[in-house]
Amino acid sequence: AAAVGAGALQQAADVSSGAHDDAMKKPDAVWDANPQFQALLAANGGDREAAKQQIALTTARASFGPAAAISVASNAIPGATYLERALVGGGALKAAKAGARFAIPRAIAKSALGEAGQEFIEEGGGQLAANVANQRYVDPNHDLTQDVGENAGMGAAGGFLLGAGGGAFHGHRGDAHAAAPGADAAGLPTAAGA
């Protein structure tokens, strides 16, 4: 749960940063057509950068919550957290000791597909959240689909590759439940079983 929460915060921060950057890249004509910008421009004594920064910060903040929620929800996909659990649980050593021939290929497939699906939703959904915030606060003509497909596809590809590796390390868990009496989860004799 902690890894999922930390990942959601990291994803939300990344999406927020992107939303801020997208807002700041808008041309002056877009800013000049924004009534909120005009009001902030007057309130800031004509300082365009200060007015832009205020709106860009609002845009970033507005995208943070949805991006975090999408990240948490996408981790409900079966196999989506194998990589995190493998990294946190030290699964490589246990899998090697267990010699889990059949559990490892199954875990690789489940983790690769789970991570790919999770990253597809997380990255594509995060970009959509940033686009919605930019459309709402900066440019009503901002394309809601801008970079959504690209981010989703890159997330899926990366998730698939990393998930396969995580699944290999996590595969030992399938054999852990079948340990013989007097043996640990890796099948090695315990003090009581020796």
Side-chain angles (χ1 to χ4, degrees):
V4 170
L9 292 176
Q10 182 179 3
Q11 171 68 7
D14 184 46
V15 167
S16 293
S17 175
H20 179 276
D21 293 348
D22 286 348
M24 293 301 292
K25 290 177 189 174
K26 294 290 182 184
D28 285 342
V30 170
W31 287 107
D32 291 339
N34 184 325
Q36 184 183 11
F37 173 75
Q38 293 301 325
L40 288 171
L41 187 61
N44 285 295
D47 187 343
R48 294 182 69 80
E49 286 305 305
K52 286 180 185 181
Q53 283 290 345
Q54 285 179 281
I55 295 173
L57 183 59
T58 299
T59 302
R61 288 177 177 159
S63 65
F64 188 90
I70 289 166
S71 179
V72 169
S74 68
N75 275 286
I77 295 172
T81 59
Y82 270 37
L83 178 61
E84 290 86 350
R85 288 187 279 165
L87 294 173
V88 172
L93 180 60
K94 293 176 187 173
K97 286 181 181 176
R101 287 187 298 175
F102 299 109
I104 290 175
R106 186 172 43 248
I108 289 171
K110 184 175 182 178
S111 179
L113 295 174
E115 286 286 341
Q118 187 272 331
E119 290 293 333
F120 179 86
I121 293 168
E122 182 177 62
E123 296 298 330
Q127 184 60 50
L128 178 62
N131 291 344
V132 168
N134 263 299
Q135 188 181 68
R136 180 174 180 196
Y137 295 104
V138 181
D139 180 6
N141 298 314
H142 187 87
D143 182 7
L144 290 177
T145 63
Q146 178 183 320
D147 299 329
V148 172
E150 179 180 344
N151 286 7
M154 288 175 33
F160 185 86
L161 293 173
L162 292 173
F169 292 120
H170 194 75
H172 74 282
R173 293 179 64 96
D175 288 350
H177 302 293
D184 66 10
L188 300 174
T190 62

